[in-house]
Amino acid sequence: MDTLETLQQIAQSVAGCQKCPLHQKRIRAVPGEGPASAEIMLIGEGPGRNEDEQGRPFVGNSGRFLTELLAKAGLKRSDVFICNVVKCRPPENRDPEPAEILACRPYLEAQITALNPKVIITLGRHSMGHFLSQARISVIHGRPVKAGGRLIIPMYHPAAALHQPALKDDLLADFARVPAILANGGTLPPEPAPAPAALPASPEPAISPPPTAQPALPEKKDEGLVQLTLF
Ligand code: SF4
């Protein structure tokens, strides 16, 4: 079975899954979408209202913002595979419960194995926690980490950044660094050397008077001639 067939089979299993209580109120399960050849995988937390209605990940406001973020990295949605930690909507957009994440974990693991992406961008705490259970996102966001033999770049969740403008600039900057990280073998490129400190300002050189056609003759003083330098 090739990658596409495997991903389709996982999606079919998700659509009929009843392994956790989240299936009870879902309209549609949201398995994920993207090309089977994608080298970059994005993992969010769980579907919201729009995603639940459409059965697609990251639609609505957070989806539009994600498209903007991907553009910062020179990417389009059609370049990446996008899915979530839990495939059914938690009621009222609450955080997924640990038991729900655990129940849904085999689907995510199967998607990662099938796709075998070069890099995984986690969006939000719960997604990061799948790979880095002890990490704090406020500390490591935007920094590539090797975990479980894979390259992970933890990022804030786009929806969180929409509600907390302070995070938005961080998220935009983190996505803008993705091409450099990939070009640098999966590590942060070295910071550019700081610009040399500005030299202390030297006093303005005295401006000599322009030469005149007929330089004034040195004044004769009692103590002798005063040398007048003309430039
Ligand atoms: S969230 Fe995952 S485990 Fe729970 S019902 Fe949906 S697909 Fe199944």
Side-chain angles (χ1 to χ4, degrees):
M1 191 181 300
D2 65 17
T3 304
L4 178 61
E5 290 169 334
T6 305
L7 291 172
Q8 287 172 337
Q9 192 177 68
I10 296 166
Q12 277 177 8
S13 300
V14 165
C17 179
Q18 299 187 357
K19 287 201 301 173
C20 88
L22 292 183
H23 80 277
Q24 293 166 353
K25 293 191 175 178
R26 75 182 173 211
I27 299 172
R28 298 179 65 177
V30 184
E33 66 183 23
S37 58
E39 295 184 336
I40 299 176
M41 183 176 193
L42 276 71
I43 305 175
E45 300 198 337
R49 184 169 55 85
N50 292 308
E51 289 79 9
D52 185 41
E53 288 171 358
Q54 297 184 37
R56 297 184 56 215
F58 283 91
V59 291
N61 286 340
S62 61
R64 277 189 289 278
F65 186 38
L66 182 63
T67 301
E68 183 185 337
L69 291 166
L70 287 169
K72 277 279 171 191
L75 296 166
K76 301 188 293 293
R77 275 185 74 115
S78 56
D79 295 326
V80 298
F81 189 90
I82 308 174
C83 64
N84 285 301
V85 169
V86 293
K87 316 298 190 192
C88 303
R89 183 192 182 196
E92 311 305 322
N93 291 350
R94 65 159 169 74
D95 285 347
E97 302 279 355
E100 295 159 354
I101 293 174
L102 195 63
C104 215
R105 192 178 180 107
Y107 297 125
L108 180 57
E109 292 286 359
Q111 287 173 318
I112 294 170
T113 302
L115 205 64
N116 194 24
K118 281 189 179 166
V119 58
I120 294 175
I121 295 175
T122 60
L123 302 169
R125 283 184 299 124
H126 295 291
S127 176
M128 180 189 70
H130 183 89
F131 304 94
L132 307 160
S133 58
Q134 303 299 317
R136 289 175 56 199
I137 196 163
S138 59
V139 174
I140 67 163
H141 68 88
R143 309 187 74 82
V145 183
K146 285 272 171 61
R150 297 198 178 274
L151 178 63
I152 313 296
I153 309 179
M155 305 271 198
Y156 289 116
H157 195 285
L162 285 176
H163 294 118
Q164 300 174 62
L167 303 184
K168 189 172 178 181
D169 289 344
D170 281 340
L171 196 48
L172 286 163
D174 288 347
F175 265 87
R177 269 198 297 271
V178 168
I181 291 170
L182 299 180
N184 201 46
T187 57
L188 270 179
E191 294 284 327
L199 293 172
S202 55
E204 287 287 316
I207 298 175
S208 302
T212 56
Q214 292 288 325
L217 290 172
E219 286 180 22
K220 206 171 204 176
K221 294 203 174 171
D222 292 346
E223 63 273 23
L225 288 174
V226 174
Q227 196 65 37
L228 183 67
T229 306
L230 295 172
F231 298 97

